[in-house]
């Protein structure tokens, strides 16, 4: 008796009276399902309509609600089974359903190869034009491939870029492997500064690092274009950090730089306030607090009132009502000089922000690692 005959009978009729018998019966059925699928895949289909028809037939044969093999097993094996046997049959039936789902009959259309037609690019010997195969039917529907989407960090970066592009900034980029001169010295970061330590920076050799911020591009752009200059610099940066929920050895920054005559801190505040309102909504307020960076003077930290609770305190702002956004300041005169710009004629401001952190705040994500693990179940949500 084939397994297909057995599906039509009850366990009693088959003389199965213990869990072991049930188990081997179901094993036989799973094997049959697997074989049928493998057989179809190895045969392939001559064309797209046939492929769809064959796949649907196989799916229906096993999974159709009326008369599919799984329904029959439910009707003939599970429902009439004796009280003693029912738990074992139920377990096996659930496993069979999981197994059938794992065979992905629904997606089989994509897996099923179309039988090779002779390629049209194939070089035919001279004089064989008459033997040329009939042209492909271009009206047949094509192969559907799943579409990806934009990564949440990239999307965040583009949103930020768009705001500054509207303000007349342009996008500049630079190398990720950078000299210590551009990464540190030209930015007024002295030899003795702790950030130059081996434990903070990834060195390639004593004069070359993986850039620790996007700021070296400020100097490169000043050298290249001179003043006035309005740029934003998105890109990857690297630090000697162990990965945890808020740190990653690779992360994304966006740097902004404006250099012109008569630029003041008021321009900086106005621009960043506008930026925060564009990104988080008209209602948010910005807060500037004094800080220190070697390449700006004076320097500040910018926070925005929490866009979730409006400053009342909630989980997103850790009950403080404020969300730290970025560091900023007026470009240090020595940095302008290092970039070949006369600080007596020009001045400017700069800021730097973490794109990953922005995306985390915006989407209420608590682990930065999720961005870089490539788990489709996570990425599909964006
Ligand atoms: Zn809040």
């Amino acid at each position: 008796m084939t397994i297909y005959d057995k599906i039509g009978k009850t366990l009693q009729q088959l003389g199965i009276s213990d869990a072991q018998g049930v188990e081997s019966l179901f094993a036989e059925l799973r094997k049959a399902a697997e074989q049928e699928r493998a057989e179809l895949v190895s045969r392939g289909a001559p064309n797209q309509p046939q492929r769809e028809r064959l796949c649907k037939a196989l799916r229906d044969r096993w999974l159709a609600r009326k008369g599919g093999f799984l329904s029959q097993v439910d009707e003939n094996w599970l429902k009439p089974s004796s009280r003693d046997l029912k738990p074992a049959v139920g377990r096996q039936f659930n496993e069979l359903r999981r197994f059938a789902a794992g065979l992905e009959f629904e997606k089989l259309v994509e897996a099923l190869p179309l039988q090779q037609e002779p390629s049209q690019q194939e070089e035919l010997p001279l004089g064989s034009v008459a033997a040329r195969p009939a042209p492909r039917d271009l009206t047949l529907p094509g192969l559907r491939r799943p579409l990806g989407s934009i990564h949440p960090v990239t999307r965040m970066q583009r949103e930020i870029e768009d705001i500054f592009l509207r303000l007349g900034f342009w996008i500049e980029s630079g190398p990720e492997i950078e000299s210590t001169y551009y990464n540190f010295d030209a930015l007024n970061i002295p030899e003795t500064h702790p950030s130059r330590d081996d434990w903070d920076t990834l060195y390639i050799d004593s004069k070359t690092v993986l850039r620790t911020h996007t700021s070296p591009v400020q100097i490169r752009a000043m050298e290249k274009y001179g003043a006035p200059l309005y740029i934003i610099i998105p890109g990857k940066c690297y630090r000697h950090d162990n990965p945890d929920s808020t740190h990653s050895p690779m992360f994304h920054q966006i740097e902004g730089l404006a250099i012109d005559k008569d630029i003041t801190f008021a321009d900086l505040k106005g621009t960043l306030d506008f930026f925060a309102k564009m990104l988080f909504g008209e209602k948010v307020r910005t807060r500037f607090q004094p800080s220190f960076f070697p390449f700006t003077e004076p320097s500040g930290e910018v926070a925005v009132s929490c866009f979730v609770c409006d400053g009342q305190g909630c989980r997103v702002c850790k009950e403080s009502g404020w969300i730290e956004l970025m560091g900023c300041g007026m470009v240090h005169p020595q940095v302008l000089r290092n970039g070949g710009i006369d600080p007596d004629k020009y001045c400017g401001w700069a800021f730097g922000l973490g794109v990953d952190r922005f995306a985390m705040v915006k989407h209420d994500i608590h682990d930065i690692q999720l961005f870089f693990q490539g788990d489709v179940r996570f990425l599909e949500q964006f």
Side-chain angles (χ1 to χ4, degrees), residues 306 308-317 321:
C306 180
V308 176
C309 66
D310 197 22
Q312 299 305 302
C314 72
R315 199 162 56 98
V316 172
C317 57

Side-chain angles (χ1 to χ4, degrees), residues 217-231:
V217 187
Q218 289 191 15
I219 305 289
R220 290 179 174 277
M222 286 186 223
E223 289 176 346
K224 199 159 143 195
Y225 305 107
L229 190 60
Y230 292 87
I231 54 172

